[in-house]
Amino acid sequence: MENRVNNNEVFIEQTFNASPEKVFNAWTDPEKLIKWFAPDGCTIHFKKIKVETGGQFHSCISNPQFGDCWAIGEYKEVLPNTKIVFSLINADKKRQPNKPR
């Protein structure tokens, strides 16, 4: 896996032993995404998710020990079976971004 950080951006690349179609589907099908996206021991649900260029999501990862972590984001680029670029910002359940500390 390759990780690069540049200002406020993070680039993550990982190679999977699966077809591009299967990997793309795991990232874009909400029923599949909820099965693997949250850390171990946590769950995730989406109040909103529209996976397309310009689409948005609003999600909550629930951690039994630390509580809920809400996030919002926008899909900047979605190229089927090739590339997904999205933003992710910590927010509240009303979609308001958290203020920096």
Side-chain angles (χ1 to χ4, degrees):
M1 179 182 335
E2 178 184 347
N3 295 331
R4 292 192 309 245
V5 178
N6 181 6
N7 294 332
N8 292 328
E9 296 182 9
V10 177
F11 175 86
I12 300 173
E13 181 179 272
Q14 184 165 350
T15 303
F16 294 93
N17 187 15
S19 70
E21 294 82 8
K22 190 170 186 175
V23 174
F24 186 81
N25 196 13
W27 274 96
T28 58
D29 179 340
E31 294 301 315
K32 290 183 175 61
L33 198 55
I34 63 172
K35 293 180 180 178
W36 69 267
F37 192 72
D40 288 342
C42 300
T43 58
I44 186 170
H45 74 272
F46 291 88
K47 284 186 77 171
K48 175 182 184 175
I49 183 168
K50 189 169 188 176
V51 184
E52 62 184 36
T53 300
Q56 299 179 343
F57 65 88
H58 185 202
S59 65
C60 180
I61 293 179
S62 296
N63 180 308
Q65 184 177 0
F66 300 108
D68 292 342
C69 179
W70 288 89
I72 55 174
E74 179 181 342
Y75 291 95
K76 304 290 188 180
E77 186 176 8
V78 179
L79 300 174
N81 306 320
T82 304
K83 184 179 191 180
I84 301 172
V85 178
F86 62 92
S87 64
L88 183 122
I89 300 168
N90 287 337
D92 63 21
K93 62 182 171 182
K94 295 180 181 176
R95 297 184 47 89
Q96 298 302 308
N98 291 348
K99 295 180 182 179
R101 295 180 184 188

